[in-house]
Amino acid sequence: MARVVVDVMLKPEILDPQGRAVQGALTRLGLSGVTDVRQGKRFEITLDGTLDPERETALNRLAEELLANPVIEDFTLRIDEGAG
Amino acid sequence: MTRVGVVTFPGSLDDGDVQRAVGIAGAQPVPLWHGDTSIGEVDAVVVPGGFSYGDYLRCGAIARFAPIMADVVHHAGDGLPVLGICNGFQILCETHLLPGVLTRNESLHYVCRDQALTVERTSTAWTDGYEQGERIVVPVKHGEGRYVADDETLDWLEGEGLIVVRYAEGNPNGSFRDIAGISNEAGNVVGLMPHPEHAVEDLTGTPGTDGLRFFTSVLRSLVG
């Protein structure tokens, strides 16, 4: 079993109104000194067998085509070595 | 009779209203199903509003890969008139038929109101019944309608005259450069957040019938 983690974040220059709302809530709930909150998405993908180069290439392509929209988002993909 | 296909995805809401608008304009609406692989014999296609696939992942991100969309994209490349409204606009951006992306409204609020627009590009299949600079009122209703693109893309859209409609008298969502709708260079593909199909009858279209000419324009462009 292999596990791959894809993190998707809005590019730094893109306004994140959800993150801003969370920032406001954190401050309202008593946390001082919050200067920024950015909200992203995390995908944990579990595959059977081992992750061969072919599937790793496909995952990279699909992360760019499906999981993230490169117009507004960046992604990082890492293989979770602890799995299996 | 001119046949206008209207795509229904799981979660589409406005497909019925678009079919009705197409009929009022004098064409025959043809229901298309997201799982079909061919658009069949139609002269134009409308991708309507709603919440296709529950808006999961990103608005339009999963609908983009629906079987029907491959055929829509293919025919759009050959000049087929395609109109994306609201969620349909989001889908057309995800397919890269149109540049940019629609993001969460700056206010975080869902906005539902009558919206003034200025028609800027009339040399498209869907807007040639309007006058350039004409002010119209059409409803908007969306939570993720803020048009975002990089400066280079925005400058290109402005320079080529590809901005079809712009918000007037107030921007409902923080859209860059007040953009409400854009087209491709050929003018056969148009996407916009406001809903012209909700402004085609005096009885229910509170602002009037300002939206009807989107649907009569395409008839004219196909016949002409």
Side-chain angles (χ1 to χ4, degrees), chain A residues 10 14-15 17-18 20-21 41 43 65-73, chain B residues 57-58 61-62 64-65 94 96 100-101 103-106 108 146 148-149:
Chain A
L10 281 173
I14 301 291
L15 174 78
Q18 293 182 101
R20 194 169 284 182
K41 297 187 189 111
F43 300 88
E65 283 182 10
L66 176 68
L67 302 183
N69 182 338
V71 176
I72 50 165
E73 293 168 330
Chain B
L57 191 57
R58 292 180 308 280
I62 297 176
R64 171 213 171 168
F65 292 102
E94 284 281 342
H96 307 305
V101 63
T103 64
R104 185 66 59 102
N105 293 351
E106 191 173 18
L108 285 177
R146 181 174 193 246
V148 169

Side-chain angles (χ1 to χ4, degrees), chain B residues 4-209:
Chain B
V4 178
V6 181
V7 181
T8 298
F9 299 94
S12 291
L13 289 180
D14 301 320
D15 41 345
D17 278 19
V18 170
Q19 288 175 25
R20 184 174 169 79
V22 165
I24 291 169
Q28 183 187 344
V30 179
L32 299 175
W33 185 237
H34 70 105
D36 292 342
T37 53
S38 166
I39 58 172
E41 298 294 317
V42 298
D43 304 296
V45 167
V46 180
V47 186
F51 299 86
S52 58
Y53 300 92
D55 271 355
Y56 292 164
L57 191 57
R58 292 180 308 280
C59 304
I62 297 176
R64 171 213 171 168
F65 292 102
I68 193 84
M69 286 311 297
D71 206 39
V72 171
V73 171
H74 171 74
H75 285 92
D78 293 336
L80 178 82
V82 176
L83 178 66
I85 302 168
C86 197
N87 189 223
F89 183 19
Q90 295 163 342
I91 294 167
L92 296 186
C93 286
E94 284 281 342
T95 62
H96 307 305
L97 279 175
L98 296 171
V101 63
L102 285 309
T103 64
R104 185 66 59 102
N105 293 351
E106 191 173 18
S107 64
L108 285 177
H109 292 289
Y110 188 94
V111 176
C112 182
R113 71 183 195 201
D114 297 337
Q115 175 68 46
L117 304 171
T118 305
V119 182
E120 298 204 352
R121 184 179 187 198
T122 57
S123 59
T124 81
W126 301 94
T127 54
D128 86 335
Y130 294 94
E131 299 292 327
Q132 194 170 8
E134 187 176 344
R135 183 69 58 90
I136 62 174
V137 177
V138 170
V140 292
K141 49 172 185 127
H142 58 249
E144 304 190 45
R146 181 174 193 246
Y147 184 78
V148 169
D150 58 29
D151 283 335
E152 193 185 335
T153 303
L154 293 167
D155 290 343
W156 177 77
L157 287 168
E158 301 251 22
E160 298 295 319
L162 303 183
I163 296 169
V164 176
V165 279
R166 231 188 274 255
Y167 297 117
E169 300 166 24
N171 179 332
N173 51 35
S175 196
F176 283 16
R177 305 198 191 179
D178 298 331
I179 289 173
I182 58 174
S183 66
N184 66 350
E185 287 173 282
N188 62 308
V189 179
V190 170
L192 77 167
M193 287 310 298
H195 289 266
E197 80 279 18
H198 294 332
V200 297
E201 289 172 291
D202 277 320
L203 180 63
T204 53
T206 313
T209 59

Side-chain angles (χ1 to χ4, degrees), chain B residues 209-224:
Chain B
T209 59
D210 280 353
L212 184 59
R213 277 174 285 165
F214 275 84
F215 304 98
T216 53
S217 291
V218 74
L219 287 186
R220 220 163 64 172
S221 74
L222 287 166
V223 173

